[in-house]
Amino acid sequence: MKNLLEAQNLKAYYRLVDGIQIRAVDGVTLELRPNEVLGIAGESGCGKSTLAAVISLTHNPPLHVIDGEVTANGFDLLRLPKEQARREIKGKYISVVPQGAMNALNPTQRVRNFAIDMLQEHQPDMTKQDAVDLARARLQELSLPERVLTSYPHELSGGMKQRTVIVLSTLLNPKVLIADEPTSALDVSSQRAVIRLLMTLLDEQIITSIAFITHELPLLRQVADRIAVMYAGKLVEVGTMEEIIFQPQHPYTKALMGSMLVPERHVREQRIEGIPGVPPDLKNPPAGCRFHPRCTQRIEWCTQEEPPPKTVGDRTTWCWLMH
Amino acid sequence: MVLANALNNSKKQRQPLLQVENLTKVFGSGKNEVIAVDDVSFEIYPGEIISLLGESGSGKTTTARMILRLSQPTRGRILFKGKDIQAMKGVDYWRQVQAIFQDPFSSFNSFYSVHSFLSKAFRLKGNHVSKSQQRAMMEEAMKKVGLNAEELLFKRPHELSGGQRQRLMIARALLISPELLIADEPTSMIDASSRVGILNMLMDLSRNLGMSIMFITHDIGLAYYTSDRLLIMNKGRIVERGPSVEVVENPTDEYTRRLLADVPTLSKRWAL
Ligand SMILES: Nc1ncnc2c1ncn2[C@@H]1O[C@H](COP(=O)(O)OP(=O)(O)O)[C@@H](O)[C@H]1O
Ligand SMILES: Nc1ncnc2c1ncn2[C@@H]1O[C@H](COP(=O)(O)OP(=O)(O)O)[C@@H](O)[C@H]1O
Ligand code: SF4
Ligand SMILES: [Mg+2]
Ligand SMILES: [Mg+2]
């Protein structure tokens, strides 16, 4: 089976007044393979949500695609007429649960209206009753309480809201689910329930693959098959979960892994060091490797030239040390 | 860690800095009654770092607010160096007990600049420091927490990001260096790579100056890394307590066990 989604040299910038541009996604090449959970990791502001918006075709001004391609299901997505994208791709082939989606539910409407709106947006001829029936059947299938449909958002716990949003966003059995920080801000028990639901959706083949976006690497150790690490609008390393978590190569991936506070012995047996400095301003990112101002291993040309990708097996690394 | 153990060994002979006795807080009444904190007792020793750890709604912030005298206990009492805190003068107490809050926005007055916010630290301490010395100390504290004083000193809180506001709270705590710091989710808006640096700084402060710290958090990794002891809170009650390593490696309480099982770690992959 072919890749479900491919981004080629994708560049997406926020264009602000005075000609200022924020280069939030700046040359990303990445594929989502069939039957996988692809983790997309990186610290806040590195461009994860921007990438999610573009590959799910939910981006709006001031965010503009500057260059590159996104292909899925044989379509050149970024050049597809809006109407066709709505009919054939969105919700059906690619569905997205945006960051903070559970808090974006309309507080004055019962949850079932979200299902109706979502379904009618993509299948205008569906009746309200059919939409609600479909949602109810799916909740039953997944052993979630039907009462959520007649509830108002504030009547549900955070974890239940998030699970509901995920179920309703996948009613049309999209091949690709893009989940942007679906468990952030949840307690660990609710976090795990959300993860279980996502795994069930895969097992039941309701969806085929997930792009799971998070800043928490320990969580990706639990769920991901592959992990892509982003820094300042670019990918720095992509590899299998084991490669990224246990044998990271890129200095940023190593430093990030090294600063994870998990409740395990090694964390108390040594002093954990973070990464000094802060990520660069994406209005004016540093020349060469964007990590160079914070990198302890930089060499001369890191400050001048961007490191090209180096691929070995399943792993690609963007660092001069690999060349 | 050696120092922490020494402290643990000697603490039995020392007077606790803070004693919380049968603390209870009930909100509302009748069918709206919520027992947010339910008969909680614990103590903090000088120089010790502890964490009050629990999921959201377990009563952590309510406990912190009572310790800070921002809320009246329904029952129970709190002693600082053996004295009931209700009987102490506010300034005297707050000079010694300071807080870093969960939602930094709520603890800033939006009319004050960063400069005047930090200046108050000197007024609270009550020691006389010349204006130019104050300025130098402020800049140094800001630098330590990764803030650029030149750029930010005359900004107002709403012009800062959440993470910058949390750093600012920590800079202020560095200036006041109280005897007890209550830190309620102090780094929730700061990225992993910088979080550790800030925690290290607070831990150093505790080691070097003997400051006690009580972290209030749902972040088990943070609590485990920083703390000599953990108090696990569930539904207003402390269900388990003990040295961090013991609690994490051999939890005895059912709730603690479940909580720990749900934390993603690096060594094990969940069976899902
Ligand atoms: N609507 C917007 N307008 C201008 N800049 C934005 C907007 N949304 C995000 N950005 C900027 O784009 C960059 C990437 O942001 P984002 O994609 O949200 O990162 P992440 O999801 O990794 O935290 C950041 O510098 C952020 O400040
Ligand atoms: N001012 C208040 N009035 C009524 N209920 C409150 C108030 N503050 C907190 N609570 C309730 O007390 C319980 C504990 O809250 P809190 O101490 O904030 O928990 P945590 O900090 O552990 O998340 C919750 O059920 C919360 O809804
Ligand atoms: S390219 Fe150079 S600066 Fe960038 S991560 Fe590699 S060694 Fe460090
Ligand atoms: Mg985001
Ligand atoms: Mg709280």
Side-chain angles (χ1 to χ4, degrees), chain B residues 35-55:
Chain B
I35 307 175
V37 176
D38 191 359
D39 197 22
V40 159
S41 300
F42 61 87
E43 58 293 312
I44 305 173
Y45 288 87
E48 196 185 22
I49 304 182
I50 71 168
S51 280
L52 183 62
L53 184 63
E55 296 188 291

Short mmCIF file of all heavy atoms in Angstrom, two decimals, chain B residues 35-55:
data_model
loop_
_atom_site.label_atom_id
_atom_site.label_comp_id
_atom_site.label_asym_id
_atom_site.label_seq_id
_atom_site.Cartn_x
_atom_site.Cartn_y
_atom_site.Cartn_z
N ILE B 35 -16.35 18.85 49.84
CA ILE B 35 -15.26 18.79 50.81
C ILE B 35 -13.97 18.76 50.01
O ILE B 35 -13.50 17.72 49.56
CB ILE B 35 -15.40 17.55 51.72
CG1 ILE B 35 -16.80 17.53 52.35
CG2 ILE B 35 -14.31 17.55 52.80
CD1 ILE B 35 -17.10 16.32 53.18
N ALA B 36 -13.41 19.94 49.79
CA ALA B 36 -12.26 20.05 48.89
C ALA B 36 -11.00 19.51 49.55
O ALA B 36 -10.16 18.91 48.90
CB ALA B 36 -12.06 21.51 48.48
N VAL B 37 -10.87 19.76 50.86
CA VAL B 37 -9.72 19.24 51.61
C VAL B 37 -10.29 18.57 52.85
O VAL B 37 -11.10 19.15 53.56
CB VAL B 37 -8.75 20.38 51.98
CG1 VAL B 37 -7.61 19.87 52.85
CG2 VAL B 37 -8.20 21.04 50.71
N ASP B 38 -9.86 17.34 53.08
CA ASP B 38 -10.55 16.52 54.06
C ASP B 38 -9.58 15.97 55.11
O ASP B 38 -8.93 14.95 54.88
CB ASP B 38 -11.24 15.38 53.29
CG ASP B 38 -12.20 14.60 54.16
OD1 ASP B 38 -12.32 14.92 55.37
OD2 ASP B 38 -12.85 13.66 53.63
N ASP B 39 -9.43 16.69 56.20
CA ASP B 39 -8.65 16.21 57.34
C ASP B 39 -7.20 15.87 56.95
O ASP B 39 -6.73 14.76 57.14
CB ASP B 39 -9.35 14.96 57.92
CG ASP B 39 -8.85 14.66 59.33
OD1 ASP B 39 -8.32 15.58 59.98
OD2 ASP B 39 -8.97 13.50 59.75
N VAL B 40 -6.53 16.86 56.43
CA VAL B 40 -5.17 16.66 55.94
C VAL B 40 -4.15 17.12 56.99
O VAL B 40 -4.27 18.21 57.54
CB VAL B 40 -4.98 17.44 54.62
CG1 VAL B 40 -3.51 17.70 54.33
CG2 VAL B 40 -5.64 16.69 53.47
N SER B 41 -3.17 16.27 57.26
CA SER B 41 -2.10 16.64 58.19
C SER B 41 -0.75 16.27 57.57
O SER B 41 -0.60 15.21 56.99
CB SER B 41 -2.23 15.87 59.52
OG SER B 41 -3.47 16.15 60.13
N PHE B 42 0.20 17.18 57.68
CA PHE B 42 1.58 16.87 57.27
C PHE B 42 2.49 17.96 57.80
O PHE B 42 2.02 18.97 58.35
CB PHE B 42 1.70 16.75 55.75
CG PHE B 42 1.35 17.99 54.99
CD1 PHE B 42 2.30 18.97 54.75
CD2 PHE B 42 0.05 18.19 54.50
CE1 PHE B 42 1.98 20.12 54.04
CE2 PHE B 42 -0.27 19.34 53.79
CZ PHE B 42 0.69 20.31 53.56
N GLU B 43 3.79 17.74 57.67
CA GLU B 43 4.71 18.79 58.09
C GLU B 43 5.83 18.92 57.06
O GLU B 43 6.09 18.01 56.28
CB GLU B 43 5.27 18.53 59.49
CG GLU B 43 6.02 17.22 59.69
CD GLU B 43 5.12 15.99 59.57
OE1 GLU B 43 4.03 15.96 60.19
OE2 GLU B 43 5.50 15.09 58.81
N ILE B 44 6.43 20.09 57.08
CA ILE B 44 7.58 20.35 56.20
C ILE B 44 8.74 20.78 57.09
O ILE B 44 8.57 21.66 57.93
CB ILE B 44 7.27 21.46 55.19
CG1 ILE B 44 6.00 21.15 54.40
CG2 ILE B 44 8.45 21.65 54.23
CD1 ILE B 44 5.55 22.28 53.50
N TYR B 45 9.90 20.14 56.89
CA TYR B 45 11.07 20.47 57.69
C TYR B 45 11.95 21.48 56.98
O TYR B 45 11.88 21.61 55.75
CB TYR B 45 11.85 19.17 57.99
CG TYR B 45 11.11 18.33 58.98
CD1 TYR B 45 10.13 17.42 58.57
CD2 TYR B 45 11.35 18.47 60.35
CE1 TYR B 45 9.41 16.67 59.48
CE2 TYR B 45 10.63 17.72 61.27
CZ TYR B 45 9.66 16.83 60.83
OH TYR B 45 8.95 16.11 61.75
N PRO B 46 12.79 22.18 57.74
CA PRO B 46 13.67 23.18 57.11
C PRO B 46 14.55 22.53 56.04
O PRO B 46 15.10 21.45 56.26
CB PRO B 46 14.52 23.68 58.27
CG PRO B 46 13.72 23.41 59.50
CD PRO B 46 12.95 22.16 59.21
N GLY B 47 14.63 23.16 54.91
CA GLY B 47 15.50 22.68 53.84
C GLY B 47 14.94 21.52 53.03
O GLY B 47 15.58 21.05 52.10
N GLU B 48 13.75 21.08 53.40
CA GLU B 48 13.19 19.90 52.73
C GLU B 48 12.40 20.31 51.48
O GLU B 48 11.82 21.37 51.42
CB GLU B 48 12.24 19.22 53.72
CG GLU B 48 11.87 17.82 53.33
CD GLU B 48 10.82 17.22 54.27
OE1 GLU B 48 10.10 17.97 54.96
OE2 GLU B 48 10.72 16.00 54.29
N ILE B 49 12.41 19.42 50.49
CA ILE B 49 11.55 19.63 49.32
C ILE B 49 10.52 18.51 49.29
O ILE B 49 10.87 17.33 49.30
CB ILE B 49 12.36 19.61 48.00
CG1 ILE B 49 13.48 20.65 48.05
CG2 ILE B 49 11.44 19.83 46.80
CD1 ILE B 49 14.29 20.74 46.76
N ILE B 50 9.25 18.89 49.30
CA ILE B 50 8.21 17.87 49.21
C ILE B 50 7.26 18.22 48.06
O ILE B 50 7.24 19.35 47.57
CB ILE B 50 7.40 17.71 50.52
CG1 ILE B 50 6.50 18.92 50.75
CG2 ILE B 50 8.31 17.49 51.71
CD1 ILE B 50 5.49 18.68 51.86
N SER B 51 6.51 17.24 47.62
CA SER B 51 5.49 17.50 46.60
C SER B 51 4.14 17.01 47.08
O SER B 51 4.03 15.90 47.62
CB SER B 51 5.81 16.78 45.29
OG SER B 51 6.77 17.47 44.56
N LEU B 52 3.16 17.84 46.88
CA LEU B 52 1.78 17.43 47.06
C LEU B 52 1.29 17.09 45.66
O LEU B 52 1.20 17.95 44.79
CB LEU B 52 0.97 18.59 47.66
CG LEU B 52 -0.48 18.32 48.00
CD1 LEU B 52 -0.60 17.22 49.05
CD2 LEU B 52 -1.15 19.60 48.54
N LEU B 53 1.04 15.80 45.44
CA LEU B 53 0.83 15.30 44.10
C LEU B 53 -0.58 14.74 43.96
O LEU B 53 -1.02 13.95 44.80
CB LEU B 53 1.86 14.18 43.88
CG LEU B 53 1.99 13.49 42.55
CD1 LEU B 53 2.41 14.48 41.49
CD2 LEU B 53 3.02 12.38 42.65
N GLY B 54 -1.29 15.17 42.93
CA GLY B 54 -2.63 14.64 42.74
C GLY B 54 -3.21 15.10 41.43
O GLY B 54 -2.70 16.03 40.80
N GLU B 55 -4.30 14.47 41.00
CA GLU B 55 -4.93 14.84 39.74
C GLU B 55 -5.76 16.11 39.95
O GLU B 55 -5.96 16.55 41.08
CB GLU B 55 -5.80 13.69 39.25
CG GLU B 55 -4.96 12.46 38.93
CD GLU B 55 -5.76 11.38 38.25
OE1 GLU B 55 -6.63 10.77 38.89
OE2 GLU B 55 -5.52 11.15 37.06
#
